[in-house]
Amino acid sequence: MAADRRSSRLKGVLDLLVLSCPTDGESYGYEIAKALAGAGLGEIKGGTLCPVLNRLEEAGLVEAEFRAAERGPGRRYYRLTDPGRTHLAAEGAAWTEFHRAVGTRLHAGGAAP
């Protein structure tokens, strides 16, 4: 049940969270998954992350480049585009406002902070 709730909560914000990861350059899928887990969001598996990255790339919010590796499989590196930065700023602000409204409502209803 707790995993279902976590999944439902992530569904509405996962694209934005993934978009926030390569802001200082570029990242590949495993790095993005580690960053999200390190932020306390739990494990995001490749079967969830890859479609998000593909969707962001198709929308022109990230660019991807495949690089072969000397050892092991190659990797796709993702970097934000200018439209991606604009989208991240606007949607980040909208999410922050939504989060504030939810917190205000929960506190008014007697929920613990």
Side-chain angles (χ1 to χ4, degrees):
M1 183 80 129
D4 289 342
R5 273 190 239 123
R6 179 185 156 279
S7 177
S8 293
R9 289 179 190 137
L10 277 175
K11 192 174 287 189
V13 74
L14 187 57
D15 287 20
L16 185 61
L17 291 169
V18 170
L19 198 59
S20 75
C21 289
T23 56
D24 293 327
E26 56 188 21
S27 295
Y28 57 92
Y30 181 69
E31 266 182 342
I32 292 170
K34 278 189 358 185
L36 296 174
L41 298 166
E43 180 183 10
I44 309 295
K45 296 184 179 181
T48 299
L49 184 57
C50 288
V52 170
L53 288 166
N54 289 336
R55 192 167 46 249
L56 294 173
E57 185 178 8
E58 287 173 10
L61 302 177
V62 297
E63 294 175 331
E65 177 185 340
F66 180 81
R67 296 185 196 154
E70 289 183 25
R71 295 183 310 177
R75 294 182 176 144
R76 285 180 65 81
Y77 285 83
Y78 298 88
R79 67 185 156 279
L80 280 176
T81 61
D82 287 339
R85 288 184 193 286
T86 300
H87 182 81
L88 178 60
E91 291 301 311
W95 178 259
T96 299
E97 184 56 36
F98 178 75
H99 172 67
R100 187 175 302 121
V102 169
T104 298
R105 179 62 241 155
L106 290 176
H107 294 293

